[in-house]
Amino acid sequence: MRRPLLPPQILRLVLLTLAIVGSYLVARAFLTPPTFGNLGWYRAEALVELRARPPVYAGKQACDECHSDQLQKLAKDSHKTLSCEACHGVSREHADNPDILPVKLTGSHCIRCHEANPSRPKWFKQIVVKDHYGSKCTECHVPHQPSQSP
Amino acid sequence: MKARLNRRSAITRLGGAIAGLFTLSAARAAKAAVQQMFVASGAPKDYDPSKHKWLMCIDVNRCIGCGLCVEACKKENGVPEGPYFRTWIERYIITKPEPGSGKTRGETLVDSPNGGMHGFPPPPVPKDQVEHSFFVPKLCNLCEHSPCVQVCPVGATFDAPDGAVLIDPKYCIGCGFCIQACPYGCRFLSPVTHTAEKCTLCYHRITRGLKPACVEICPTQARIFGDLKNAGPDDPIRKFYENNRVQVLKPHLGTEPRVLYAGLDKEVR
Amino acid sequence: MTNEMTNLVVEVLPRFEGYVYPNEGIPHPLWGFLIVIYPYITGLVAGAFIMASLVRVFKVKALEPVYRLSMLTALSFLLCATLPLLFHLGHPERCYEIMMTPHLTSPMAIFGFVYAWYLMAVLLLELWFDYRQDLVEWAKVTRGFKGIVYRAFTLGVTDESYEALALDAKMGWILSIVGIPSAFLLHGYVGFIFGSIKANPWWGNVLMPIIFILSAIVSGIALCTFNYMVLTWIRRHTVDMRCLDTMAMFLFYALVVDAAVEALDWIHRIYAAEEGFSVLKTMIREKLFYTLNLGQATTGTLIPWLLLGSLQLLRKRVPEPIRRRMIFASAFMILIGVLAMRWNVVIGGQLFSKSLRGVMGYKLEFAGVEGWLMGLVLLSLPFIILTVLVKLFLSERLPSSEHTPQDSVAAEV
């Protein structure tokens, strides 16, 4: 009787192994995303998808298009480092459609930054609100030019 | 005979396997065509990541702890409500030492109520007990050797070529390994998407020429953002790293964080 | 209104002390009970396999009666090993990604491959070679569903010639040898996952993979002892005391080595007192007190050490029934203790803040995917599978082949 090439157990196992490894390789060809590995060990398409999210805040540059006079006044005084949306809130809709008005401000905005707190740096202008003059900040301060009186 | 049967069945099986392998190439072309249809679009196509290297730096001397940045980040990125923060502010209150104790400092109190999102309440110790106090904004440290990227098992989080460390929300399996590996606590598992999330430097803004929301909103320019590959001599980020002696967080861990802090104290971890 | 806006007092959550990073203020640990169970299960697999390899590789003849039970135990637990991981993932439907694009810098990425290798190329293959002759014989005399199962598992190889059986024995021996480092890899990589996290001082140290493997071996031997005694009790047989005493001996020495290395970890931590040491002390004292001192140290280590150690010294003088009870109690306590150890490592690492300034307390729910109930179900499932496997492959009605593989190998040599 002719002896087989390999013992029967080994032959059966080798075929089984080839089948398993083969199906793994086929699965891998199908299930690896198309842009994977282009730029590194990740889906390069993810960069495009992450960029595609629409921004929420409009940004100070967007306000400059229509309100450059206000921004020029702002740039002359100590609030020049502020972005408009820090006080006026998200204004993207307004930037796209000026008929939609941004948030109307109240004095709580001023206190959030200017309430005296020992943790705040010493160069920063802080007041103890209950000891400070008046009831409304805008009685004595112009928000865009805080050193000026209205 | 048993031997011959074995050989015949073996040959037929091998033949089948080889035929299967040949169909692979045809199947691959079909698969690529199908997947091309699903490729996302809609983002600005004129952005080349290799031409930029983004960095954010923090000037601790300028932070006033207003928390506008934390709020802005949550709004800009749709961060879920609750203990989930892509950026946050920590307050450090270092008290004076007990007289006669021979120490330079008393105890250090650190807090971050709701990440500092609505500002900070008055300090828990009286003003005359405070030796030093300051606010430290925290965010992803954009590590050169990010441990988070190293441990991701599938390649869902990665170092983008332009300096940001990003997460692919469609690929992340939500195992949480990266969250455990980050020494700075800047990652979290979103209860909404069930994937890991972190500061992306507002990738969708910076690739359109806008600033990250936190930088945009910061009233005192405590957060300095810039493009290291396109920074002119007057660029704030260049002035920051050229004029300041800086520190990084947890340098002993070897993560080589790129985010530079000016004005840090030894108590900040 | 304005003052309230800026002076917002945050709800003081009693479960945090000191300062924790805001992202750490989540109500439940990120890696919960499911991630405690996973290393426990793979540890039992590795340990049961090492126990079986004592028979094949180290030729401990006294343990022959428990060889097949150990292998079936390893198999039944391995079949359940992926479940805790799957249930834990945020996106279990994407689990295939770990095998399609494994990130080679991540220890977690080797999971798919090391699991597949261990299941197919080590465990099932070694079982197949050991059982093949029996399967062929059983297939001839069994009808119905069981007969189909036996026939299917022969993979159509019905050769029972002398050469074929000698090959079976030789392959089984080779696979046992290959299986030992494979078992170390299967469980050691889990220890490495924790040991590689430098951000976490409780986890990230070089002894972690070694401690995991050693406690795995202890738990595996304990499980085989436990299963052997339960099975003989159910079948109303008499326990082979030579086998049981040998298992108790190996269990004792494994426990001593494991306790020694864990003690080394403790001593080093206390001596070097690195940066995180003070927060770890607080965490252990306040959050891990019972699971560590009662669970792991006393129940899991000290009492079994005393019981088994006394048996090593006084074996002949202790009557059989008492010896049996002492060994059974020790095995059971060790199983509890090793589960407590996994708890202390996994949950303990999440009970303190990475700011090293605070500790958190979590309450584990009863229901839900990460709850107690699910954990208990997942721990019972392997025993159910083992029952089925024992009924099929350790059946009392079907005789095993008389030829013992060692004799064949000896004959070859």
Side-chain angles (χ1 to χ4, degrees):
Chain A
M1 131 182 158
R2 274 212 306 221
R3 302 200 82 213
L5 299 156
L6 289 170
Q9 301 100 312
I10 305 297
L11 187 66
R12 201 63 48 120
L13 291 172
V14 164
L15 291 173
L16 201 55
T17 308
L18 282 177
I20 291 172
V21 173
S23 39
Y24 165 71
L25 291 172
V26 170
R28 190 168 168 168
F30 274 90
L31 291 173
T32 307
T35 58
F36 203 93
N38 288 359
L39 291 168
W41 199 262
Y42 56 95
R43 229 174 36 102
E45 195 61 36
L47 286 177
V48 177
E49 289 167 11
L50 287 167
R51 290 208 291 271
R53 187 193 170 91
V56 172
Y57 283 88
K60 204 167 174 180
Q61 303 144 273
C63 311
D64 200 15
E65 282 175 39
C66 303
H67 301 280
S68 46
D69 54 333
Q70 285 290 15
L71 268 95
Q72 273 163 22
K73 283 191 206 154
L74 198 70
K76 290 193 194 123
D77 211 318
S78 45
H79 273 182
K80 61 177 180 276
T81 53
L82 262 77
S83 164
C84 316
E85 283 167 302
C87 297
H88 294 280
V90 178
S91 307
R92 151 132 270 122
E93 283 172 355
H94 172 74
D96 292 336
N97 176 3
D99 293 327
I100 303 173
L101 293 173
V103 172
K104 201 155 166 41
L105 292 180
T106 64
S108 62
H109 276 81
C110 316
I111 290 173
R112 180 155 183 175
C113 290
H114 290 285
E115 170 79 65
N117 193 314
S119 310
R120 293 196 156 130
K122 297 287 178 285
W123 58 265
F124 186 71
K125 285 192 163 52
Q126 310 165 47
I127 48 137
V128 180
V129 173
K130 62 175 170 52
D131 297 337
H132 199 67
Y133 317 95
S135 54
K136 267 178 84 169
C137 314
T138 45
E139 271 181 26
C140 307
H141 300 280
V142 175
H144 295 144
Q145 294 158 286
S147 59
Q148 310 280 332
S149 304
Chain B
M1 300 229 34
K2 245 194 199 154
R4 219 174 272 153
L5 275 171
N6 274 341
R7 257 241 297 230
R8 197 186 296 165
S9 59
I11 289 170
T12 39
R13 263 174 239 202
L14 265 170
I18 291 168
L21 283 166
F22 272 128
T23 55
L24 248 184
S25 47
R28 233 193 222 140
K31 170 212 79 154
V34 166
Q35 283 180 317
Q36 199 63 30
M37 282 163 50
F38 293 103
V39 163
S41 61
K45 295 227 175 1
D46 51 351
Y47 176 77
D48 182 1
S50 60
K51 294 214 162 40
H52 304 272
K53 192 79 173 187
W54 306 108
L55 182 64
M56 190 180 308
C57 296
I58 307 287
D59 192 342
V60 175
N61 301 310
R62 303 196 70 80
C63 180
I64 58 171
C66 63
L68 285 171
C69 54
V70 182
E71 219 183 303
C73 173
K74 283 232 179 187
K75 284 200 189 122
E76 178 69 44
N77 293 292
V79 179
E81 265 185 53
Y84 310 105
F85 296 92
R86 294 187 176 202
T87 186
W88 67 98
I89 317 264
E90 294 176 355
R91 171 173 62 179
Y92 287 77
I93 298 173
I94 299 166
T95 55
K96 295 197 171 123
E98 290 227 2
S101 64
K103 294 198 176 156
T104 56
R105 292 178 164 189
E107 61 165 350
T108 304
L109 304 163
V110 187
D111 67 341
S112 183
N114 207 13
M117 195 160 86
H118 303 294
F120 285 77
V125 295
K127 199 169 154 185
D128 57 1
Q129 290 276 339
V130 174
E131 191 170 85
H132 302 282
S133 189
F134 48 91
F135 297 101
V136 182
K138 293 262 189 99
L139 66 155
C140 165
N141 279 248
L142 304 171
C143 302
E144 203 73 74
H145 303 134
S146 326
C148 57
V149 171
Q150 187 185 22
V151 299
C152 176
V154 297
T157 189
F158 54 93
D159 293 317
D162 49 9
V165 181
L166 300 170
I167 299 174
D168 181 353
K170 289 198 183 153
Y171 211 61
C172 175
I173 60 176
C175 70
F177 200 177
C178 60
I179 301 165
Q180 302 285 11
C182 173
Y184 308 106
C186 77
R187 283 174 174 257
F188 60 89
L189 194 76
S190 165
V192 172
T193 61
H194 304 292
T195 58
E197 263 190 37
K198 62 181 276 297
C199 165
T200 57
L201 283 185
C202 283
Y203 202 66
H204 57 290
R205 292 181 66 87
I206 61 181
T207 51
R208 282 170 219 259
L210 299 169
K211 288 188 253 181
C214 55
V215 177
E216 178 73 44
I217 231 73
C218 175
T220 54
Q221 296 178 322
R223 294 175 183 256
I224 302 103
F225 178 77
D227 182 354
L228 296 171
K229 282 195 175 169
N230 297 300
D234 285 327
D235 197 301
I237 200 141
R238 249 179 93 166
K239 290 203 281 199
F240 179 86
Y241 66 73
E242 284 176 355
N243 298 334
N244 284 306
R245 287 205 288 269
V246 295
Q247 282 170 276
V248 296
L249 293 175
K250 303 200 184 186
H252 58 279
L253 289 180
T255 55
E256 301 280 324
R258 292 196 310 123
V259 171
L260 306 172
Y261 286 82
L264 224 51
D265 183 88
K266 75 176 179 77
E267 291 298 323
V268 180
R269 292 212 190 99
Chain C
M1 197 275 271
T2 56
N3 284 342
E4 276 146 46
M5 274 284 281
T6 50
N7 298 335
L8 199 76
V9 175
V10 151
E11 169 202 337
V12 174
L13 299 152
R15 59 177 187 266
F16 305 126
E17 279 169 46
Y19 174 66
V20 309
Y21 287 141
N23 281 327
E24 291 170 341
I26 46 178
H28 304 114
L30 183 66
W31 284 353
F33 197 38
L34 287 173
I35 305 298
V36 171
I37 287 173
Y38 173 70
Y40 188 56
I41 290 181
T42 54
L44 292 170
V45 171
F49 184 87
I50 299 294
M51 172 84 177
S53 69
L54 284 171
V55 179
R56 286 283 173 271
V57 178
F58 299 100
K59 309 261 194 279
V60 181
K61 291 216 170 65
L63 292 176
E64 184 68 49
V66 91
Y67 170 76
R68 281 190 169 178
L69 182 62
S70 304
M71 292 293 284
L72 291 177
T73 302
L75 180 63
S76 54
F77 274 81
L78 190 64
L79 288 172
C80 300
T82 47
L83 290 175
L85 297 178
L86 263 181
F87 291 172
H88 162 76
L89 285 182
H91 282 272
E93 77 280 6
R94 297 179 188 169
C95 63
Y96 64 90
E97 290 174 6
I98 213 168
M99 290 203 70
M100 300 300 134
T101 60
H103 193 196
L104 297 174
T105 59
S106 170
M108 210 185 265
I110 69 169
F111 161 69
F113 300 99
V114 93
Y115 180 83
W117 164 263
Y118 195 82
L119 178 65
M120 294 191 283
V122 174
L123 204 51
L124 284 177
L125 207 54
E126 189 179 328
L127 275 168
W128 188 67
F129 279 114
D130 185 64
Y131 268 100
R132 198 186 61 81
Q133 187 194 16
D134 287 333
L135 289 170
V136 173
E137 289 301 314
W138 296 343
K140 289 182 192 161
V141 300
T142 319
R143 293 185 192 287
F145 177 70
K146 270 193 184 174
I148 295 171
V149 170
Y150 294 142
R151 232 171 327 233
F153 280 129
T154 62
L155 295 182
V157 183
T158 51
D159 190 345
E160 285 187 88
S161 65
Y162 180 77
E163 291 95 1
L165 296 179
L167 182 67
D168 286 346
K170 187 152 187 214
M171 289 302 296
W173 178 74
I174 291 174
L175 285 168
S176 267
I177 294 186
V178 165
I180 295 175
S182 305
F184 284 175
L185 191 59
L186 177 77
H187 190 60
Y189 97 90
V190 183
F192 190 80
I193 284 180
F194 291 102
S196 65
I197 299 184
K198 59 188 173 187
N200 191 317
W202 188 234
W203 288 342
N205 78 56
V206 83
L207 283 177
M208 192 60 80
I210 298 175
I211 290 175
F212 262 61
I213 290 177
L214 290 174
S215 54
I217 293 173
V218 173
S219 68
I221 299 177
L223 181 65
C224 293
T225 310
F226 178 84
N227 284 347
Y228 177 64
M229 296 189 77
V230 169
L231 189 62
T232 46
W233 177 75
I234 288 176
R235 288 183 168 174
R236 303 187 203 292
H237 288 174
T238 43
V239 170
D240 179 344
M241 280 315 289
R242 184 168 159 244
C243 178
L244 192 67
D245 285 331
T246 314
M247 280 201 283
M249 178 186 78
F250 279 110
L251 188 57
F252 173 70
Y253 288 116
L255 186 65
V256 166
V257 174
D258 177 44
V261 178
E262 288 193 27
L264 177 66
D265 182 37
W266 280 90
I267 293 169
H268 183 269
R269 279 185 200 273
I270 294 170
Y271 186 87
E274 290 177 30
E275 193 188 0
F277 185 59
S278 62
V279 78
L280 288 179
K281 268 198 301 191
T282 311
M283 184 269 292
I284 291 166
R285 193 179 58 239
E286 295 188 13
K287 308 290 174 192
L288 283 188
F289 187 79
Y290 293 108
T291 50
L292 193 63
N293 294 321
L294 273 185
Q296 185 180 337
T298 311
T299 311
T301 311
L302 188 62
I303 299 181
W305 182 78
L306 288 169
L307 288 174
L308 293 171
S310 60
L311 282 181
Q312 293 305 302
L313 288 171
L314 308 166
R315 187 183 313 181
K316 299 245 178 349
R317 301 204 207 131
V318 180
E320 253 186 50
I322 297 182
R323 257 186 12 236
R324 276 204 308 271
R325 282 173 180 74
M326 282 168 78
I327 294 172
F328 185 79
S330 302
F332 185 73
M333 282 193 282
I334 286 174
L335 286 174
I336 303 285
V338 174
L339 182 61
M341 180 267 185
R342 304 296 190 238
W343 173 278
N344 293 329
V345 171
V346 176
I347 305 289
Q350 300 170 86
L351 289 175
F352 65 96
S353 168
K354 290 203 194 99
S355 71
L356 308 178
R357 287 184 190 276
V359 291
M360 298 88 88
Y362 295 115
K363 219 178 127 203
L364 267 126
E365 313 272 305
F366 180 69
V369 179
E370 295 261 0
W372 288 110
L373 189 62
M374 177 59 78
L376 290 171
V377 166
L378 285 174
L379 285 174
S380 328
L381 196 58
F383 288 102
I384 298 171
I385 295 176
L386 184 61
T387 311
V388 173
L389 290 177
V390 162
K391 282 212 157 67
L392 280 174
F393 300 109
L394 272 183
S395 174
E396 292 177 271
R397 269 178 263 130
L398 293 168
S400 310
S401 56
E402 279 155 17
H403 114 103
T404 48
Q406 279 121 302
D407 297 339
S408 296
V409 174
E412 282 230 329
V413 171

